[in-house]
C-alpha cells in the first residue's frame, strides 16, 4: 500500500531531508585523498546527531555503519572502514539516512576524490542527470514506469548499465515503504503517481556490465567486471503539478566535469 502523506507529515519529511542535505553540504569540503571511509561515516554521524536526528541505516537489518560508503566498483552498501583509504582519482558514494521526529530522509551523492579522469566525471554527471530525466515525469497522473523508463533510457543511451537488484522505494516513517522504484521499466506501467507520495529515487549506474556480486561481508555490492559504479539519490514529494526535493543541500554540489578545470581549482585552494 502506498501511503499518501498529510501536509503535516510532509513538513516533517522536509525537516528530516534538510538534515541529509546539510550532511552533503558539509561533506563536500572534506572529501580528499588520504581520508578513510570511516572518517566519512563519523563526520556524517556527528552532523546527523548534532541536528537531533538518528542515522537511519545504523543497525537497519543488521547493517553495521552509520551511513553507506561505496568506493569505485562498489555499487551500494559499502561498510565504513578505517583501513579503506581514499586515493586520488577514486570516486566515493555516500548514502545517508536521517530519522528526525519519526520521519526519514534518504539520499546519496557520489564525490570525485582529488583529480579524476574525464570519463569518471562523466559517469557522475550522467548518473545525476538521469535522476532529473526521470523527474521530468514525476507528477500526478503519470505512472511510475514513466519515471523508471526515462532513467533507464538516458543511462543506456549514454553507454552505461543500470543495476537491477537494487531499487528506489517509498519513504516516510519507515526507510522502505511501497512502492519499490526500479531504475528500468516500461512507459505507462506501474502505480499511478499521486500528490503527497514520498519517494526515494536512486539510479545506480555502471560503466560496464550491470551485473553485480555481493561480498562475503553480506552487504557490499560490487560490479562483476570491476568497472566503476555511481549512485545518486534524493527523497522527493509529489506536489499538485510536479515534485519537490526533500533532501536538498543548502548550497549547490557542483561536480566539475573538466579535468583541467578541476586541477586549476585544486591549485587555487592549496
Ligand atoms: N539508500 C539505501 C536504501 O534505500 C540505503 C540503505 S542501507 C541499509 O536502500 F543499510 F540501511 F540497508
Ligand atoms: Co534509498
Amino acid at each position: 500500500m502506498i501511503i499518501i502523506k498529510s501536509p503535516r507529515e510532509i513538513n516533517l519529511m522536509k525537516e528530516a531531508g534538510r538534515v541529509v542535505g546539510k550532511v552533503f553540504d558539509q561533506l563536500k569540503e572534506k572529501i580528499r585523498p588520504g581520508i578513510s571511509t570511516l572518517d566519512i561515516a563519523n563526520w556524517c554521524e556527528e552532523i546527523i546527531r548534532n541536528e537531533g536526528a538518528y542515522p537511519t541505516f545504523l543497525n537497519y537489518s543488521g547493517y553495521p555503519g552509520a551511513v553507506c560508503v561505496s568506493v569505485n566498483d562498489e555499487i551500494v552498501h559499502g561498510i565504513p572502514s578505517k583501513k579503506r583509504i581514499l586515493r586520488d582519482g577514486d570516486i566515493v558514494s555516500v548514502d545517508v539516512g536521517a530519522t528526525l521526529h519519526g520521519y526519514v530522509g534518504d539520499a546519496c551523492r557520489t564525490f570525485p576524490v582529488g583529480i579524476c579522469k574525464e570519463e569518471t566525471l562523466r559517469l557522475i554527471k550522467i548518473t545525476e542527470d538521469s535522476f532529473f530525466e526521470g523527474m521530468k515525469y514525476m507528477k500526478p497522473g503519470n505512472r511510475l514506469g514513466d519515471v523508471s523508463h526515462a532513467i533507464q533510457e538516458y543511462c543506456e543511451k549514454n553507454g552505461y548499465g543500470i543495476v537491477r537488484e537494487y531499487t528506489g522505494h517509498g519513504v516516510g516513517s519507515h526507510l522502505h515503504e511501497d512502492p519499490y522504484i526500479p531504475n528500468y521499466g516500461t512507459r505507462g506501467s506501474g502505480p499511478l503517481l499521486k500528490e503527497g507520495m514520498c519517494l526515494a529515487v536512486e539510479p545506480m549506474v555502471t560503466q560496464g556490465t550491470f551485473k553485480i556480486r555481493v561480498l562475503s561481508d553480506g552487504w557490499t555490492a560490487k560490479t562483476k567486471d570491476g568497472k566503476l559504479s555511481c549512485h545518486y539519490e534524493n527523497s522527493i514529494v509529489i506536489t499538485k503539478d510536479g515534485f519537490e526535493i526533500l533532501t536538498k543541500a543548502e548550497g549547490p554540489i557542483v561536480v566539475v566535469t573538466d579535468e583541467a578545470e578541476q586541477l586549476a581549482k585544486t591549485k587555487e585552494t592549496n
Side-chain angles (χ1 to χ4, degrees), residues 107-152:
C108 178
R109 299 286 181 270
T110 298
F111 300 92
V113 180
I115 310 298
C116 289
K117 286 185 199 161
E118 271 182 38
E119 63 182 59
T120 304
L121 298 171
R122 180 176 177 270
L123 174 67
I124 298 177
K125 177 81 166 70
I126 298 292
T127 302
E128 199 172 311
D129 289 350
S130 76
F131 171 90
F132 291 97
E133 285 297 314
M135 287 305 121
K136 289 180 181 169
Y137 297 88
M138 191 62 92
K139 59 178 167 212
N142 282 349
R143 290 193 179 268
L144 197 57
D146 300 330
V147 175
S148 303
H149 178 81
I151 294 172
Q152 177 180 21

Side-chain angles (χ1 to χ4, degrees), residues 57 95 106-107 167-169 175-176 200 202 231 233:
F57 304 161
D95 193 342
D106 179 17
T167 67
H169 48 92
L175 171 62
H176 295 140
E202 46 183 317
H231 185 196
E233 174 182 23

